[in-house]
Each structure stands twice: as structure tokens, then as C-alpha cells.
Amino acid sequence: VVAVVAIGLLWGGQRRRAFGLHAYAAAFLALSALGGGFATTIAKSLVGRPRPPWNGVWSYEPTSSYPSAHSQGGITVWVALGLIALVLVPGRVRWVISIPLLVLGPVIGVSRAVLGVHWSSDVLGGWSLGGAWMAMSAVIIVLIATGAARRRNESSDPPA
């Protein structure tokens, strides 16, 4: 999903002559999703918390429990997509697209606790890590965009 949307953003931005904003949105999505997954993998290996006792009803998960990677991914992918839709999609359609995405992210985490494959604190940890990583990704992209705009403005100023 991340790759398809990022490529679509880049392609759509070129067609609309708004490549900069779309490229930054694609970079934000990629950094948020990929970096969030990487951060969760590191956190799981550091914490090594066992999962709740498995009752065999739903599924067996062999990896560590804390933080929930699905909960983190719900934030760094689906909520990030919802935020991108809020910025880039015009008119009332933005709400039709963004609200389900913004709701889906947290619901994924809740489903992990309901299925019994995570403790509630695993879900909260995944949401927290995902939210923090997504926010950091946004700050990084804004700093890059601001620096690029500043360099463009400085290069277009006439010499004194």
C-alpha cells in the first residue's frame, strides 16, 4: 500500500505540476511507514516481552509482544494516509477518504487486544511509538521542505 500510494503521489504530482507537495507527502509516508516498522523491530528485540497465553482460537504469533507492530503500523501507515488525504484531496471527498483511514489506524490496534495476541499495554506502546515516529517524520519532512524553499528563494534573489 505504501509503495503504491507513494508512486501514485509522485506520478500525480508531476501531472498536476504540484510535484513538490506530492513528493514531500510521498517522502513523509515512506519515512513514517518504513522507519516506524524498523523502530518497532528494534523495540521488540530490546524488550522481548512474551505474548499473552495462546488459547489456539485465532492465531499463533511467534514474535515478541511489546510493542504491537500492527498497532504501530496502523498509525504510521493508515493514520499517515488519512493526514495526507486531509491535505491533498480537494473538497468534501477529503473527509470521505480521510475519516475511515484515521479511524482504521487505531481500530487495528484494538483488534490485536481483542484477538488476544497482545496485552493492552502492547497496543498502547505501538500507538505511542507509531505516533511519535510519525510526528518525527513530519518534522523531518517539514525541515527539508523549508530548507529547500529557502535555498530556492536565495538562488532567485538578484545580486545586490
Side-chain angles (χ1 to χ4, degrees), residues 2 5 17-18 22 27-28 36 41 48 59 67 103 124 126 143-145:
V2 171
V5 172
R17 297 177 192 258
H22 286 75
F28 163 69
T41 301
S59 68
V103 170
L124 291 173
L143 290 172
I144 291 170

Side-chain angles (χ1 to χ4, degrees), residues 31-153:
L31 182 60
S32 179
L34 298 175
F38 185 68
T40 299
T41 301
I42 291 171
K44 279 182 177 281
S45 67
L46 292 174
V47 175
R49 180 178 186 184
R51 291 187 179 263
W54 183 60
N55 59 15
V57 175
W58 299 105
S59 68
Y60 172 72
E61 299 283 342
T63 60
S64 297
S65 187
Y66 185 89
S68 167
H70 282 85
S71 301
Q72 167 271 312
I75 303 301
T76 60
V77 173
W78 300 109
V79 171
L81 284 170
L83 294 174
I84 289 169
L86 279 175
V87 172
L88 295 180
V89 176
R92 292 183 181 166
V93 176
R94 88 175 38 151
W95 299 107
V96 173
I97 294 171
S98 63
I99 288 176
L101 293 169
L102 294 169
V103 170
L104 176 63
V107 167
I108 290 171
V110 171
S111 74
R112 303 304 286 171
V114 169
L115 289 172
V117 294
H118 280 290
W119 305 99
S120 298
S121 57
D122 301 338
V123 172
L124 291 173
W127 285 339
S128 299
L129 181 61
W133 189 268
M134 185 179 61
M136 188 173 71
S137 298
V139 168
I140 290 168
I141 297 302
V142 166
L143 290 172
I144 291 170
T146 303
R150 186 175 300 128
R151 284 189 298 279
R152 271 194 310 273
N153 288 340

